[in-house]
């Protein structure tokens, strides 16, 4: 009974952790999508075979105990931590910690106070990083500010108030090309899908997107029946990368953050180099 309850507990814990640790600000979230994404991260993550020859005796024993207790939990990677007797497991795109017996598990932040480093944030940032060039930018609405030398991807719901707030801030970015992926959260914004289709199929998608994010009326898709919208593809893309809320931003190094960021924080995020 205890083991059977583990998966449910783990999904809940990881979902809560992902929310507080990496949210950049207020955002819209589709509860059904977020819950499904967390579950998928736990149950369908690809398992990387553990090479026991590469493990210390201490870690090897801890890993064996973990796998014996939780055989259905798929872990990408087991690692040592700087804390003696505490080990790390990468589950999907999140991190949990456990003791040598694997009886005790916890999720949260592991901080190195001497170095002033959030070790958990660094590891999870690596796990959640998305190769920018792997994104299908041809399925995003392209808007260029200044010379467009820097790049930013944004997953946006046109009816999300935080996406609309971010849109106003994006206009003040310096020399940035913004690729907007139309990601309607239909369970909370039922009209967003039709609006997103219409934006994509407009003659000038960037201009139409700007109007939609201001709350202006936009032409229905029926006015352009020959257009094939990419919105369904974007919804699948978001699920693939565990994106369940808007706005979600991805910079060139592949880091992600959510929320309607203030200009200074937004510019710093765009300007960031890979760490």
């Amino acid at each position: 009974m205890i083991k059977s309850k583990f998966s449910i507990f783990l999904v809940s814990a990881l979902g809560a952790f992902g929310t507080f640790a990496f949210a950049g600000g207020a955002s819209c979230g589709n509860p059904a999508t977020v819950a499904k994404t967390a579950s998928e991260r736990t149950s369908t993550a690809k398992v990387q075979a553990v090479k026991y020859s590469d493990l210390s005796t201490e870690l090897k024993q801890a890993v064996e105990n973990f796998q014996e207790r939780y055989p259905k939990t798929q872990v990408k990677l087991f690692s040592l931590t700087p804390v003696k007797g505490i080990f790390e497991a990468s589950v999907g795109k999140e991190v949990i910690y456990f003791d040598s017996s694997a009886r005790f598990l916890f999720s949260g932040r592991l901080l190195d106070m001497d170095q002033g480093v959030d070790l958990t944030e660094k590891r999870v940032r690596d796990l959640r990083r998305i190769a920018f060039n792997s994104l299908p930018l041809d399925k995003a609405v392209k808007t260029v500010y200044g010379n467009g030398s820097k790049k930013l991807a944004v997953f946006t719901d046109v009816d999300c108030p935080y996406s609309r707030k971010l849109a106003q801030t994006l206009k003040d970015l310096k020399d940035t090309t913004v690729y907007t992926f139309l990601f309607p959260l239909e369970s909370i914004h039922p009209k967003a899908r039709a609006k997103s289709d219409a934006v994509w199929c407009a003659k000038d998608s960037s201009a139409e997107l700007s109007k939609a994010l201001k709350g202006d009326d936009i032409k229905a898709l029926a006015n352009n029946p020959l257009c094939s919208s990419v919105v369904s593809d974007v919804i699948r893309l978001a699920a693939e990368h565990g994106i369940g809320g808007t706005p979600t931003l991805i910079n060139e190094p592949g880091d992600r953050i959510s929320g309607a960021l203030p200009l200074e924080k937004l510019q710093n995020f765009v300007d960031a180099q890979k760490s």
Side-chain angles (χ1 to χ4, degrees), residues 13-14 17 20-22 95-97 105-111 118-121 124:
L14 291 181
F17 171 71
F20 81 78
F22 295 93
V95 170
I96 60 172
Y97 302 99
L105 296 90
F106 64 94
S107 64
R109 296 188 179 208
L110 182 60
L111 308 175
D118 186 332
L119 299 176
T120 304
E121 182 177 3
V124 176

Side-chain angles (χ1 to χ4, degrees), residues 59 63 66 75 77-82 86-91 94-98 110 119-120 123-124 127:
L59 178 56
V63 168
F66 188 101
V75 178
L77 181 68
F78 291 97
S79 305
L80 292 166
T81 75
I86 298 297
F87 308 91
E88 175 187 293
S90 301
V91 182
E94 310 294 354
V95 170
I96 60 172
Y97 302 99
F98 62 100
L110 182 60
L119 299 176
T120 304
R123 176 55 62 90
V124 176
L127 291 171

Side-chain angles (χ1 to χ4, degrees), residues 148-162:
S149 58
K150 300 168 187 175
K151 297 177 183 178
L152 177 70
V154 182
F155 283 76
T156 288
D157 178 327
V158 296
D159 281 345
C160 172
Y162 304 108

Side-chain angles (χ1 to χ4, degrees), residues 201 221-229:
C201 293
L221 180 59
N223 292 331
N224 192 353
L226 299 180
C227 173
S228 178
S229 175

